[in-house]
Amino acid sequence: MRSTLEVCVDSTLSAVAAQEGGADRIELCSDLIIGGITPGHILAKQIKDRISIPIRALIRPRFGDFCYNEDEFSIMLEEIRHFRKLGVSGVVTGILKPDGNMDMERMKKLKEAAGDMDFAIHRAFDMSKDPFKAMEDAVTLGAVTILTSGQEASAWMGRELLKQLVEESNGRIEIMAGGGIDGKQIRELAAYTGLTAFHMSGKVNMDSRMVFRRNGINMGLPGFDEYHIWQTEADKIRCAADQIKNV
């Protein structure tokens, strides 16, 4: 089975760096600092014009849990239709019911809206009640990938479940490890679990180009000022890509 390196990005510069570093595809989102939400269509079009590797768009209408109301679900459907028109290769999404199981009724509608696009399940899977039932539901749905940390804070911490998922999936769906992934962990996780697909951001903290700075004002999350920008670094992706060649 061919090994895959997917890089999650939230800007055009990060997407270009991911391709330069040797990524096989990108997951495009906005606001990675809060785990990622649905990206804008203009950003998607700009990136599609700049890179040649496949793009999967994250479909997540807001920060927080994965149990959505009717308004949020309607937005998700429409977003998928827009990205399909743009020619994006796939979408990454997930909806849970209050009991922790996958909301198959709504997920089927999202899958129908996606048509022949790649359809992947994001880390809503990690918040599900029963990972093996969620995996079988994903297979039944026709999803091609499950992104997971093994239901732990990092993929290395979740390596036991990741190993079991690889064995249980038996090639029916791509199990892709994400969460704290770098070049070193790719080698270790591959050896331990049999994984061949990995997801990372390769981010570095870039200092702002601003010379004048207004201190003491915060526009968003506490602890994050306005003068640092997270961006994918090609060298970090290149290091991981070199490791994955040996998987």
Side-chain angles (χ1 to χ4, degrees):
M1 184 179 293
R2 183 178 181 276
S3 297
T4 300
L5 178 61
E6 178 180 274
V7 178
C8 53
V9 304
D10 58 5
S11 71
T12 302
L13 287 177
S14 287
V16 171
Q19 178 169 277
E20 288 177 352
D24 296 296
R25 65 172 177 251
I26 67 166
E27 179 194 287
L28 177 61
C29 64
S30 290
D31 295 328
L32 267 175
I33 201 166
I34 57 170
I37 57 174
T38 305
H41 304 145
I42 302 301
L43 175 63
K45 185 180 185 306
Q46 185 179 80
I47 290 175
K48 191 172 181 295
D49 290 342
R50 294 281 297 277
I51 67 173
S52 58
I53 58 177
I55 301 168
R56 290 180 179 177
L58 178 67
I59 306 297
R60 185 186 182 201
R62 58 160 170 78
F63 171 77
D65 66 33
F66 301 101
C67 185
Y68 300 116
N69 62 37
E70 282 301 315
D71 292 326
E72 292 164 336
F73 177 62
S74 176
I75 289 170
M76 294 171 79
L77 279 171
E78 198 60 28
E79 292 282 17
I80 289 176
R81 294 182 184 118
H82 276 290
F83 283 118
R84 187 179 179 187
K85 288 178 183 176
L86 277 175
V88 171
S89 60
V91 292
V92 187
T93 192
I95 304 177
L96 298 179
K97 295 191 292 187
D99 64 4
N101 288 308
M102 192 177 293
D103 189 335
M104 288 295 281
E105 182 178 348
R106 283 176 162 185
M107 290 292 287
K108 286 176 183 175
K109 291 179 180 178
L110 296 183
K111 179 69 170 63
E112 288 171 5
D116 58 358
M117 300 170 77
D118 287 347
F119 193 85
I121 309 299
H122 60 33
R123 291 185 64 193
F125 177 90
D126 285 329
M127 307 300 285
S128 68
K129 182 178 179 181
D130 181 340
F132 297 102
K133 181 181 186 306
M135 182 185 72
E136 294 302 330
D137 285 344
V139 171
T140 299
L141 193 64
V144 295
T145 302
I146 294 172
L147 170 62
T148 173
S149 64
Q151 297 198 328
E152 296 287 353
S154 71
W156 182 248
M157 291 174 64
R159 63 190 180 277
E160 294 295 342
L161 178 56
L162 288 170
K163 183 177 182 180
Q164 294 175 51
L165 290 169
V166 170
E167 293 171 352
E168 289 291 326
S169 65
N170 195 29
R172 294 176 296 154
I173 191 168
E174 178 184 66
I175 305 298
M176 182 166 59
I181 297 291
D182 59 20
K184 178 183 176 183
Q185 284 206 328
I186 284 175
R187 178 177 292 217
E188 294 174 342
L189 278 168
Y192 190 85
T193 64
L195 283 160
T196 59
F198 302 89
H199 172 99
M200 65 182 291
S201 67
K203 289 283 191 289
V204 293
N205 194 342
M206 307 285 288
D207 193 41
S208 169
R209 293 185 296 115
M210 288 293 295
V211 176
F212 172 78
R213 301 191 178 194
R214 177 74 67 187
N215 296 320
I217 299 177
N218 184 281
M219 302 291 177
L221 294 173
F224 294 95
D225 65 37
E226 312 311 313
Y227 301 109
H228 288 89
I229 299 168
W230 290 91
Q231 187 174 311
T232 298
E233 184 179 72
D235 284 346
K236 284 183 176 288
I237 305 308
R238 193 171 292 112
C239 175
D242 288 342
Q243 292 295 324
I244 209 169
K245 290 174 184 176
N246 300 316
V247 171

